Amino acid sequence: MFAYKRIEARIGEYIAAHYHNVVEVGIGRNADAAALCARAGLRVRATDIREPPEVPGVESRVDDVYAPDLPWYAGADLVYAVRPGVEMVPPLIDLARAIGCDLIVYHLGNEIYEHGGEIIDCGPVLHRYYRP
């Protein structure tokens, strides 16, 4: 298994152990964390600026984090992003705040936003930027 696939597996395992209703923003073509969460029985939704991949158990749609369709995110207890551009973190924080849920980000390399938020070490290092 490639190292980056192990990272997504650990992220998915952490999320599945701590949350129930999650949304991955900016899923792109890497749906491994979302798929693991869906197999674990979570309600999983995913968005991307382009058509997201079809993943069993994952509701998906095109949406822009800079102008999100807030009702679609209702009920989520977590919004998360895997390797988003750092410029996406402020609108992700705004989204989590608007719907009243946690925000967790796994960054590319050593990239962080501002102070880096609360650190969660689940193998890969996650950053919780918002917790209501």
Side-chain angles (χ1 to χ4, degrees):
M1 181 185 288
F2 295 108
Y4 73 92
K5 295 299 180 182
R6 284 192 297 270
I7 289 169
E8 278 79 2
R10 296 299 299 271
I11 293 168
E13 290 165 0
Y14 176 84
I15 291 170
H18 293 89
Y19 297 95
H20 304 287
N21 186 341
V22 303
V23 181
E24 181 170 343
V25 174
I27 194 167
R29 297 288 166 236
N30 187 354
D32 294 329
L36 189 149
C37 290
R39 288 192 305 272
L42 278 66
R43 178 181 183 199
V44 182
R45 291 172 276 177
T47 67
D48 200 89
I49 195 76
R50 294 176 194 87
E51 191 66 38
E54 290 188 27
V55 180
V58 177
E59 303 166 52
S60 63
R61 70 181 303 180
V62 172
D63 197 45
D64 184 351
V65 72
Y66 291 94
D69 179 14
L70 289 178
W72 193 78
Y73 295 85
D77 55 359
L78 173 69
V79 167
Y80 72 97
V82 177
R83 297 181 192 91
V86 73
E87 69 279 0
M88 289 176 60
V89 176
L92 285 165
I93 293 169
D94 292 343
L95 174 61
R97 186 174 288 127
I99 60 175
C101 72
D102 287 9
L103 168 65
I104 292 178
V105 174
Y106 175 73
H107 287 289
L108 180 62
N110 292 321
E111 186 175 74
I112 62 168
Y113 175 72
E114 288 188 352
H115 59 80
E118 174 190 350
I119 301 300
I120 301 167
D121 187 351
C122 64
V125 174
L126 306 177
H127 299 262
R128 185 174 6 236
Y129 285 103
Y130 184 75
R131 182 173 227 174

